[in-house]
Amino acid sequence: MAPSKTTSPLPPATPSQRHYYTVLPPQPQDENYTILPYYYLANPRRNWYATIAISLILLAALLYVFWPSEPELKIERLHLAHFHVRMKPAICLDISLNVTLKVHNRDVYSVNYKSLDVSVGYRGRKLGNVKSNHGRVKALASSYIDAELQLKSVKVLSDVVYLLEDLARGTVPFDTITKVTGHLGLFFLEFPLEARVSCEVLINTTSQTIARQNCYPKG
């Protein structure tokens, strides 16, 4: 009969081999555990400030787009058709001007203009004017308007000395002011508008042509 094997007990642990921890008891198998995620709670006052800031930015953008502005006026063509100085029985002028005006609408709604007024002056004195019919300019578009100004036998008694000096030099300066009046149409609202452009025109009396012109917007 084989001798039975005996298991000798383990030697006691020395102080250097001792483990300094406590063994956790086993968890019951019939219990369910749920791990809840951690949620960060935002500051409601900070969200309120952000909402106000975004709303103000959107409001400023809408005002920039829909705020009415005056149309842009530009003299595309200014042609002298006729110019004559009469010396008898009094010094007077005959002038015929053809003007082509470009009206550019920078707004997102249409422009309805009632009239186009073109006037000519000499040394601050108005000599005459002409008006054209009404029209319409689409949103973000341009329109061209033609006007013809004819002045006959216009007397310049108060400025006759200056006129004689200008005729001796061969050039006569004139001022032209073009004005557009109407309204801007936005849904059921209407905003009045008035835009002007002024030109300094120097006419060559020998060739009866425009020697130089300088146009600029006028408030």
Side-chain angles (χ1 to χ4, degrees):
M1 184 175 178
S4 60
K5 297 181 179 180
T6 61
T7 302
S8 58
L10 294 176
T14 61
S16 60
Q17 295 178 346
R18 292 177 181 175
H19 301 281
Y20 294 94
Y21 64 87
T22 303
V23 179
L24 296 176
Q27 300 293 336
Q29 299 295 328
D30 56 347
E31 294 184 3
N32 296 326
Y33 294 89
T34 303
I35 299 177
L36 298 177
Y38 175 75
Y39 291 96
Y40 173 75
L41 297 178
N43 190 353
R45 180 175 297 179
R46 183 178 301 176
N47 294 338
W48 187 70
Y49 289 157
T51 303
I52 292 179
I54 296 175
S55 300
L56 291 177
I57 293 175
L58 293 176
L59 180 60
L62 291 175
L63 289 177
Y64 177 79
V65 173
F66 290 100
W67 189 262
S69 59
E70 293 182 353
E72 180 181 353
L73 301 183
K74 183 180 180 182
I75 300 293
E76 289 290 330
R77 180 175 173 267
L78 185 61
H79 176 66
L80 178 65
H82 177 69
F83 178 78
H84 180 66
V85 180
R86 298 183 183 183
M87 305 301 294
K88 295 180 180 181
I91 298 179
C92 52
L93 303 176
D94 294 339
I95 304 175
S96 179
L97 283 175
N98 295 325
V99 180
T100 300
L101 181 67
K102 178 183 179 181
V103 182
H104 177 63
N105 184 13
R106 297 173 292 182
D107 294 324
V108 295
Y109 33 86
S110 62
V111 171
N112 297 317
Y113 60 90
K114 297 179 181 179
S115 64
L116 168 67
D117 188 298
V118 180
S119 62
V120 174
Y122 175 71
R123 296 188 178 274
R125 177 176 176 267
K126 183 178 178 180
L127 302 179
N129 68 307
V130 64
K131 290 186 178 182
S132 67
N133 297 327
H134 60 85
R136 183 173 182 268
V137 184
K138 296 180 179 180
L140 303 176
S142 300
S143 179
Y144 293 88
I145 308 172
D146 296 324
E148 182 180 1
L149 174 63
Q150 293 184 356
L151 304 178
K152 293 183 179 181
S153 301
V154 180
K155 297 180 180 181
V156 286
L157 298 178
S158 59
D159 300 318
V160 62
V161 177
Y162 298 106
L163 180 60
L164 293 177
E165 292 178 355
D166 294 334
L167 291 175
R169 286 194 296 264
T171 56
V172 179
F174 289 97
D175 300 326
T176 65
I177 298 178
T178 305
K179 181 174 66 173
V180 173
T181 57
H183 63 269
L184 302 173
L186 176 60
F187 303 114
F188 56 89
L189 300 177
E190 292 185 355
F191 300 95
L193 67 90
E194 180 177 309
R196 298 185 182 185
V197 59
S198 178
C199 294
E200 298 175 355
V201 183
L202 191 64
I203 295 179
N204 189 317
T205 57
T206 303
S207 60
Q208 294 192 5
T209 58
I210 297 176
R212 186 177 70 252
Q213 60 175 317
N214 181 23
C215 300
Y216 53 90
K218 184 177 181 180

